């Protein structure tokens, strides 16, 4: 059950259930309730595009089991429009909203545009502003290779760097930054957002996650989110990986 404690917080980007996977989930309840009965975590991507009311976050939190966790994507106003600069008020507003997930808020995801080059002063100001207001888990997904130079800053701020597939630069294929937890974000390959992962690939991922989980602090889970949702492959891949992980 999703409410059981797991060393891997496994899920998809969003909780839409493809019709071909309905039989794997309970028949009753909202999509989120049905999803959360089987998978232990989800990534909220819609927060990237638009704000949600605090009451909406609270309603979502109330509808899932005790051990379920949400990862919430930081708004594009912050990451893509302001490009991390001068975001204090936007950060406060976002944290006020998603903070209504209460203890179901597991992580914040900061995905950066491919064109955003690492500028130490801008990055440090953003991180300081975020950390002054939020001390929970944060994962960042930079997509410009210059961000590899930010490793010491991320480690100091306790921010994990996402392990992405496909990787926008070689180092991005493996977790980086703070090693207190890992965040794997799988977009589908070769067709990003659409391609399903094959059996051999999932076998190798299972081994990677098992090894990573063995090195995690006892009270911290490793995140693994499938973002290949365009064709519905994410749900099938997550369920297949969940079955494999139970063997460890």
């Amino acid at each position: 059950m999703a409410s059981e404690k797991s060393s891997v917080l496994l899920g998809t980007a969003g909780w839409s259930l493809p019709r071909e996977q309905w039989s794997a989930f309970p028949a009753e309840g909202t999509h989120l309730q049905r999803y959360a009965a089987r998978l232990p975590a989800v990534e909220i991507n819609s927060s990237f595009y638009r704000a949600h009311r605090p009451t909406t976050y609270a309603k979502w939190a109330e509808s899932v089991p005790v051990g379920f966790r949400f990862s919430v994507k930081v708004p594009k106003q912050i990451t893509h429009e302001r490009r991390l600069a001068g975001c204090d008020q936007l950060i406060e507003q976002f944290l006020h909203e998603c903070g209504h997930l209460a203890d179901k808020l597991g992580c914040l995801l900061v995905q950066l545009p491919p064109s955003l080059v690492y500028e130490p002063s801008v990055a440090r100001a953003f991180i300081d502003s975020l950390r002054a207001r939020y001390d929970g888990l944060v994962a960042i997904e930079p997509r410009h290779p210059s961000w590899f130079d930010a490793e010491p800053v991320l480690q100091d701020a306790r921010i994990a760097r996402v392990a992405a597939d496909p990787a926008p630069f070689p180092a991005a294929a493996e977790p980086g930054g703070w090693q207190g937890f890992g965040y794997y974000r799988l977009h589908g390959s070769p067709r990003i957002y659409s391609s399903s992962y094959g059996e051999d690939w999932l076998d190798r991922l299972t081994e990677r996650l098992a090894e990573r989980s063995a090195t995690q602090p006892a009270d911290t889970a490793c995140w693994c989110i499938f973002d290949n949702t365009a064709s519905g492959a994410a749900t099938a891949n997550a369920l297949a990986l969940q079955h494999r992980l139970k063997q460890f």
Side-chain angles (χ1 to χ4, degrees):
M1 295 293 293
S3 59
E4 294 175 356
K5 182 173 175 58
S6 171
S7 60
V8 177
L9 284 172
L10 170 64
T12 63
W15 51 80
S16 177
L17 300 177
R19 184 175 293 272
E20 58 269 27
Q21 300 298 328
W22 279 7
S23 62
F25 297 86
E28 302 298 323
T30 66
H31 272 253
L32 176 57
Q33 289 170 329
R34 295 168 64 201
Y35 173 102
R38 183 70 191 271
L39 293 168
V42 74
E43 185 180 278
I44 300 176
N45 268 199
S46 55
S47 55
F48 177 76
Y49 299 101
R50 64 185 185 279
H52 295 301
R53 295 176 180 176
T55 52
T56 298
Y57 281 111
K59 181 179 178 181
W60 288 339
E62 291 167 2
S63 69
V64 297
V66 172
F68 190 88
R69 293 293 179 268
F70 293 88
S71 170
V72 189
K73 193 172 181 180
V74 169
K76 66 177 182 178
Q77 281 183 291
I78 294 172
T79 56
H80 288 55
E81 296 172 12
R82 294 285 184 90
R83 299 172 73 82
L84 305 184
C87 298
D88 290 3
Q89 186 173 352
L90 290 173
I91 291 171
E92 285 197 18
Q93 177 183 338
F94 170 64
L95 291 175
H96 169 69
E97 293 161 356
C98 70
H100 284 71
L101 290 170
D103 60 356
K104 306 289 178 57
L105 174 57
C107 179
L108 300 182
L109 172 69
V110 184
Q111 186 190 53
L112 303 180
S115 62
L116 187 57
V117 175
Y118 174 58
E119 296 183 28
S121 60
V122 174
R124 173 55 75 182
F126 166 75
I127 289 170
D128 286 348
S129 179
L130 178 62
R131 279 303 188 205
R133 297 165 171 83
Y134 177 77
D135 63 0
L137 296 180
V138 178
I140 190 168
E141 185 180 9
R143 290 182 285 174
H144 192 281
S146 62
W147 278 83
F148 190 68
D149 294 338
E151 290 292 289
V153 174
L154 298 180
Q155 291 164 9
D156 287 345
R158 297 177 296 106
I159 295 177
R161 179 169 53 75
V162 165
D165 184 82
F169 53 94
E174 296 296 331
W178 183 56
Q179 294 298 302
F181 82 114
Y183 199 108
Y184 292 75
R185 199 158 189 259
L186 313 172
H187 302 289
S189 181
R191 264 201 315 151
I192 192 167
Y193 305 127
S194 294
S195 291
S196 180
Y197 289 102
E199 300 293 318
D200 291 345
W201 199 95
L202 291 173
D203 287 343
R204 292 192 297 271
L205 176 62
T206 302
E207 294 175 0
R208 291 171 67 193
L209 290 172
E211 292 172 3
R212 176 79 192 194
S213 296
T215 66
Q216 294 283 147
D219 60 346
T220 304
C222 180
W223 286 73
C224 182
I225 297 293
F226 286 93
D227 189 32
N228 50 339
T229 56
S231 63
T235 305
N237 285 165
L239 293 173
L241 181 62
Q242 185 180 56
H243 176 74
R244 285 166 167 78
L245 288 169
K246 287 179 179 177
Q247 311 307 312
F248 280 81

